[in-house]
Amino acid sequence: MKKAKLVLALILLTSTTYAQFGNKSIGDFLSLGTEDANTLANPYLAPMANMLGAGLNAGWYTSAKTHKTFGFDITVTGAYMPTSNKSKTFNVADYESQLSEFKLADPSNSTSPTVMGQMDNRPKLVSQSDPFGTEISMPDGADLDYMVTPMITLGLGLPYGFELKGRFTTELDLDDYGKFSLWGLGVQKEIKEYIPGVKHVPFLNMSVLAAYTTLNAVTGVEFEESDGDLDVQSNAYTARLLVGANFPVVCFYTGLGYGNSNSDFNVIGDFVVNGETVTDPITQNFTTSTFDFNAGMRIRLGIFALHAEYTTGEYSAITGGVGISFR
């Protein structure tokens, strides 16, 4: 029951993240028309997409040593990603040349919040074809200091030093918070026996890992009298070399590897924009590729285990969890 409550709390944190900006802020971009809305929605959403990719590639392992055959673990994990200051704003002037209809009303005021930030004195845009010079404020952000990606991770030991891994968060409909689901598969292979010197050190372990995770989240979007959904789909891949030291109660582990993510943020539905009905008015795709390094520690008390780790890269992540582990 305690684990179930922990998972629900993590899911609520994550779903609230999407709901905070989905209901209003992303819809406000449609005031600019679909073409300019898509141009400026890209830098606005990019920090969340990049952080999401980093979080999905974290938390795949708690040891460089694989389970023995039919050994297993079940772990409730959460990846916490703090928002850096540079991820909270972007410069509208950098994208002004790509706008078809609008331009900055005051070029000296061009710093605007991303979805992760928040500002009172936001830049204003003016239509180049509007004879009255009506100004439109840039949409505000949700003032998000972090993102949390929750999941349940499973590991099953197989013959020949292999371990099959899976992770999931079952799809839940959380009313005003929207819907959220996640699943992934991975394989870890112990390679200590192939490394001269290392194979003769009892407490040292080495392995390689390849894993894939996919996430889907949906929350409502409103614009004037129209409404629809913000659909977020993200796929992440990682390949890593793991090195660790295992002792009777505690183990330490590190991982060095490559991560890639591909995320789609789409506003779907029929919206009335400038007097015309537009279907699926905003579509954004983000791709990230990065090398990162992490270090962590796991403590075992019988079959129960606690772990925590820190991943450093373009976007950092703090991962922790509790679970049970056998063999």
Side-chain angles (χ1 to χ4, degrees):
M1 181 60 71
K2 289 183 178 180
K3 288 184 182 179
K5 290 181 178 179
L6 174 60
V7 174
L8 182 58
L10 290 170
I11 293 171
L12 284 170
L13 277 171
T14 305
S15 301
T16 303
T17 297
Y18 297 112
Q20 276 182 284
F21 78 92
N23 288 340
K24 189 78 169 64
S25 296
I26 191 66
D28 288 345
F29 277 95
L30 295 177
S31 299
L32 307 175
T34 55
E35 187 174 348
D36 287 352
N38 276 277
T39 297
L40 293 177
N42 186 275
Y44 178 82
L45 293 170
M48 173 171 280
N50 295 336
M51 292 171 67
L52 182 59
L56 293 180
N57 279 328
W60 266 109
Y61 49 89
T62 61
S63 173
K65 181 179 177 62
T66 58
H67 283 294
K68 296 178 182 179
T69 302
F70 300 127
F72 67 90
D73 70 87
I74 303 173
T75 306
V76 178
T77 302
Y80 170 93
M81 293 145 287
T83 305
S84 64
N85 288 332
K86 70 176 184 178
S87 297
K88 291 193 171 187
T89 61
F90 71 99
N91 191 345
V92 177
D94 293 340
Y95 302 88
E96 191 172 15
S97 63
Q98 302 174 38
L99 299 177
S100 62
E101 175 64 25
F102 287 83
K103 65 178 181 179
L104 283 165
D106 178 6
S108 66
N109 180 18
S110 63
T111 301
S112 187
T114 68
V115 62
M116 311 303 289
Q118 193 172 61
M119 294 176 62
D120 293 327
N121 185 27
R122 301 188 299 281
K124 291 181 172 58
L125 300 175
V126 61
S127 171
Q128 299 181 69
S129 62
D130 183 359
F132 301 103
T134 303
E135 296 182 347
I136 298 176
S137 293
M138 283 292 294
D140 206 358
D143 194 21
L144 302 171
D145 292 326
Y146 59 86
M147 284 182 61
V148 175
T149 305
M151 64 203 81
I152 298 173
T153 302
L154 312 173
L156 175 65
L158 300 176
Y160 307 109
F162 283 93
E163 183 176 324
L164 179 65
K165 292 181 173 291
R167 54 169 41 167
F168 69 94
T169 299
T170 56
E171 181 174 311
L172 292 179
D173 187 342
L174 299 171
D175 297 326
D176 292 341
Y177 295 115
K179 298 179 181 179
F180 175 89
S181 63
L182 174 154
W183 67 268
L185 290 173
V187 176
Q188 186 175 344
K189 173 66 171 76
E190 196 158 343
I191 60 172
K192 173 180 177 176
E193 60 184 289
Y194 306 113
I195 311 299
V198 175
K199 65 181 180 180
H200 298 300
V201 182
F203 59 86
L204 284 182
N205 296 283
M206 293 185 68
S207 60
V208 290
L209 172 90
Y212 164 82
T213 307
T214 183
L215 172 147
N216 178 255
V218 180
T219 189
V221 172
E222 299 173 358
F223 174 65
E224 296 180 349
E225 301 300 318
S226 306
D227 60 76
D229 290 314
L230 173 67
D231 183 85
V232 179
Q233 297 187 32
S234 185
N235 303 308
Y237 315 81
T238 187
R240 311 182 71 82
L241 171 66
L242 314 180
V243 180
N246 282 52
F247 301 101
V249 175
V250 64
C251 81
F252 302 93
Y253 57 91
T254 62
L256 176 65
Y258 169 80
N260 174 275
S261 68
N262 187 289
S263 301
D264 292 311
F265 283 63
N266 299 323
V267 174
I268 57 178
D270 294 327
F271 291 81
V272 178
V273 181
N274 295 331
E276 297 182 0
T277 300
V278 180
T279 300
D280 302 345
I282 295 178
T283 58
Q284 296 293 320
N285 176 264
F286 304 90
T287 300
T288 63
S289 298
T290 184
F291 287 91
D292 58 40
F293 171 82
N294 79 317
M297 179 179 69
R298 184 189 70 190
I299 298 175
R300 288 189 59 176
L301 303 171
I303 64 171
F304 298 100
L306 305 172
H307 80 277
E309 67 182 59
Y310 178 75
T311 301
T312 180
E314 184 176 358
Y315 290 88
S316 61
I318 301 170
T319 307
V322 297
I324 59 174
S325 180
F326 177 70
R327 299 184 68 188

